[in-house]
């Protein structure tokens, strides 16, 4: 079958060397990233301190606008930060946690780093309510909605759950949250770049995510969206001189917040990471998320079919429209099997309590998808996993 996206493979050097099915963890590096890094080095080497005024200083917001185009956010509503944990802590720092409205509601399958941020704020009054997942794949929507009440401050949910790839109904959660005066933080890390997202249409209050995975942008380029209607009403306590109206006046004393999204910055930005990430945004923007989703749904189904033919048990949402870009296979000896796959240059990962995670992306061929299912079966049947059973965790 002809695959119109396969020509993009040549833009990703690692695909010549291995079977890359791990974009839910780290997207492959586009060739363009090396050029962008060269641009960064060139500006540092030749422009020196002048590079700040010639673009570096503005990059957290100019790069933010680029990300905004991929997530349905208008210009002036996205600021770049180092990671999602910082973005979540920054959002929380906008609120009075000792008031009655201090409940945080999220799914039990939320990304643990996000949980750690909210849990750590119990010391300041936060109450956390986790909505349980009976099947460890998704959270029943009606239970999620009924947990959100008049005492709920924030609902920081993942659009796609990292442990199962299940899609959550962010728009429905947002409607419920707004009915009772709560605010929603959508974590788009496992969706943006593979599942269409539209923060404007959903009407979420905040969104976060990073560029490491489906956006193929590398580490250090996370984003924070704040709905324009909220921006000037909030005063983040996690702040710094870039959030000041007059940063170069170096005024002592409290921060005088800048207008708009700039008030959600803090200190000096990670400029090299922002350069590197641009290449990923360009490629994903050119391929188009609709086209990526179309191919992803086809290859996810192909992988599920081949898995089933090979007697491998998926832990994935039943309906195609409820699945993101990854497939989880609950394989016996899953961690050891993963080690053997890695030895065979088939890059996937393993998560305890979930299984082997595999992800086709727009640069994946059908042969690679079929090969992965076949090799897992062969590793199990031949006992090749046994050599790895005593080894430590697969980590990343
Ligand atoms: C849903 C989700 N949120 C957040 C993160 C990462 O958070 P951070 O950027 O703080 O490392 C991941 C990474 O695996 C993730 O899958």
């Amino acid at each position: 079958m002809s695959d119109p996206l396969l020509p993009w493979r040549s833009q990703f050097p690692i695909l010549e060397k291995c079977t890359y099915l791990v974009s839910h963890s780290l997207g492959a590096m586009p060739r363009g990233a090396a050029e962008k890094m060269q641009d960064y080095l060139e500006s540092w080497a030749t422009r020196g301190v002048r590079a700040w005024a010639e673009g570096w200083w503005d990059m957290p917001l100019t790069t933010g606008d680029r990300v905004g185009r991929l997530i349905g956010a208008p210009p002036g509503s996205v600021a770049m930060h180092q990671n999602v944990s910082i973005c979540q802590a920054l959002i929380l720092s906008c609120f009075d946690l000792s008031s009655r409205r201090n409940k945080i509601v999220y799914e039990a399958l939320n990304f643990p780093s996000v949980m750690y941020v909210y849990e750590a704020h119990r010391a300041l009054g936060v109450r956390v309510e986790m909505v349980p997942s009976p099947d460890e794949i998704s959270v029943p929507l009606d239970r999620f909605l009924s947990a959100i009440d008049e005492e709920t401050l924030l609902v920081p949910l993942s659009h796609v759950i990292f442990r199962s790839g299940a899609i959550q109904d962010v728009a429905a959660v947002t409607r419920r949250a707004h009915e009772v005066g709560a605010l929603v933080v959508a974590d788009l890390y496992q969706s943006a770049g593979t599942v269409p997202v539209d923060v404007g249409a959903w009407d979420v209050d905040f969104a976060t995510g990073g560029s490491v995975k489906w956006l193929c942008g590398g580490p250090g380029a996370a984003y924070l969206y704040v709905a324009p209607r909220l921006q000037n009403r909030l005063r983040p306590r996690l702040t710094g001189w870039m959030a000041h109206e007059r940063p170069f006046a170096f005024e002592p004393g409290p921060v005088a917040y800048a207008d708009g999204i700039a008030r959600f910055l803090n200190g000096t930005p990670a400029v090299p990471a922002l350069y590197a990430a641009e290449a990923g945004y360009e490629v994903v923007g050119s391929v188009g998320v609709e086209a990526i989703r179309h191919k992803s749904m086809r290859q996810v189904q192909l992988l599920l079919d081949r898995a089933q033919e090979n007697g491998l048990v998926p832990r994935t949402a039943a309906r195609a429209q409820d699945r993101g870009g990854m497939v989880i296979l609950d394989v016996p000896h899953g961690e050891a099997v993963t080690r053997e796959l890695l030895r065979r240059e088939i890059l996937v990962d393993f998560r305890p309590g979930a299984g082997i995670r595999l992800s086709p992306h727009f640069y994946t061929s059908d042969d690679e998808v079929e090969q992965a299912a076949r090799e897992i079966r062969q590793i199990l049947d031949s006992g090749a996993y046994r050599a790895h059973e005593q080894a430590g965790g697969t980590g990343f």
Side-chain angles (χ1 to χ4, degrees):
M1 178 205 264
S2 88
D3 177 343
L5 303 193
L6 273 189
W8 288 100
R9 279 179 80 78
S10 61
Q11 295 300 314
F12 296 86
I14 200 169
L15 305 182
E16 291 159 22
K17 302 245 163 47
C18 62
T19 297
Y20 203 83
L21 293 171
V22 72
S23 302
H24 56 265
S25 174
L26 182 77
M29 188 201 86
R31 278 186 203 286
E35 283 155 37
K36 300 287 182 192
M37 290 308 276
Q38 198 49 47
D39 291 348
Y40 159 68
L41 291 174
E42 195 61 26
S43 62
W44 186 13
T46 62
R47 303 304 298 156
V49 73
R50 292 168 293 189
W52 285 113
E54 293 168 5
W56 287 9
W57 181 263
D58 293 329
M59 274 186 96
L61 302 187
T62 52
T63 307
D65 283 345
R66 275 192 194 130
V67 174
R69 291 200 280 275
L70 297 169
I71 63 169
S77 63
V78 178
M80 302 303 292
H81 286 284
Q82 189 183 337
N83 58 54
V84 163
S85 308
I86 296 271
C87 297
Q88 300 273 352
L90 201 154
I91 293 167
L92 198 46
S93 83
C94 297
F95 299 100
D96 171 9
L97 306 179
S98 65
S99 78
R100 223 175 117 238
R101 191 185 277 281
N102 59 6
K103 198 170 101 171
I104 310 292
V105 177
Y106 50 70
E107 70 278 9
L109 306 174
N110 207 347
F111 191 72
S113 191
V114 173
M115 294 184 182
Y116 302 155
V117 169
Y118 292 98
E119 286 285 341
H121 283 79
R122 282 187 193 268
L124 297 181
V126 155
R127 289 171 292 148
V128 176
E129 180 168 341
M130 277 207 288
V131 188
S133 166
D135 62 0
E136 298 276 317
I137 292 175
S138 61
V139 168
L141 184 61
D142 53 341
R143 291 188 71 174
F144 207 148
L145 299 185
S146 57
I148 302 169
D149 60 17
E150 273 75 12
E151 298 192 351
T152 305
L153 173 63
L154 290 174
V155 185
L157 80 165
S158 301
H159 181 208
V160 170
I161 293 171
F162 85 105
R163 217 182 259 287
S164 64
I167 297 180
Q168 303 209 90
D169 190 343
V170 177
V173 169
T174 305
R175 278 194 298 277
R176 167 67 187 156
H178 288 179
E179 261 167 36
V180 293
L183 302 175
V184 171
V185 186
D187 181 355
L188 310 177
Y189 221 138
Q190 288 293 358
S191 56
T194 185
V195 176
V197 302
D198 193 337
V199 294
W202 292 337
D203 198 27
V204 291
D205 305 285
F206 305 94
T208 66
S211 307
V212 170
K213 305 172 191 297
W214 307 97
L215 292 174
C216 301
Y223 50 88
L224 167 65
Y225 162 78
V226 183
R229 63 188 146 73
L230 280 179
Q231 290 172 5
N232 285 348
R233 290 166 43 197
L234 300 174
R235 302 165 63 80
R237 288 186 296 273
L238 201 170
T239 189
W241 66 313
M242 288 193 82
H244 199 287
E245 226 183 342
R246 296 170 297 278
F248 294 100
F250 299 100
E251 292 167 20
V255 58
Y257 288 104
D259 262 352
I261 192 66
R263 68 171 58 197
F264 297 88
L265 298 172
N266 42 65
T268 309
V271 171
L274 301 181
Y275 268 88
E278 256 173 51
Y281 308 147
E282 282 172 13
V283 175
V284 169
S286 302
V287 182
V289 176
E290 292 291 341
I292 294 175
R293 174 67 172 158
H294 184 74
K295 172 168 174 172
S296 165
M297 289 182 82
R298 185 179 66 72
Q299 287 192 323
V300 161
Q301 191 58 53
L302 177 67
L303 180 50
L304 288 170
D305 291 345
R306 293 294 174 269
Q308 243 139 16
E309 283 162 29
N310 282 288
L312 308 170
V313 180
R315 289 174 62 88
T316 313
R319 298 187 316 168
Q321 67 266 35
D322 298 333
R323 298 180 206 132
M326 83 174 99
V327 169
I328 289 81
L329 297 178
D330 187 9
V331 169
H333 317 285
E335 190 156 13
V337 171
T338 300
R339 284 197 162 273
E340 178 60 14
L341 286 167
L342 299 180
R343 196 191 66 75
R344 296 181 185 194
E345 304 278 334
I346 299 172
L347 303 198
V348 299
D349 67 10
F350 175 82
R351 287 291 174 266
I356 305 176
R357 300 192 302 174
L358 308 98
S359 299
H361 204 5
F362 60 92
Y363 39 62
T364 305
S365 70
D366 289 0
D367 284 350
E368 290 173 304
V369 169
E370 303 202 346
Q371 176 203 11
R374 239 184 3 253
E375 295 276 343
I376 294 175
R377 183 72 264 159
Q378 200 279 336
I379 291 167
L380 286 169
D381 291 346
S382 65
Y385 64 87
R386 287 201 193 99
H388 305 282
E389 281 202 306
Q390 301 308 320
T394 47
F396 300 103

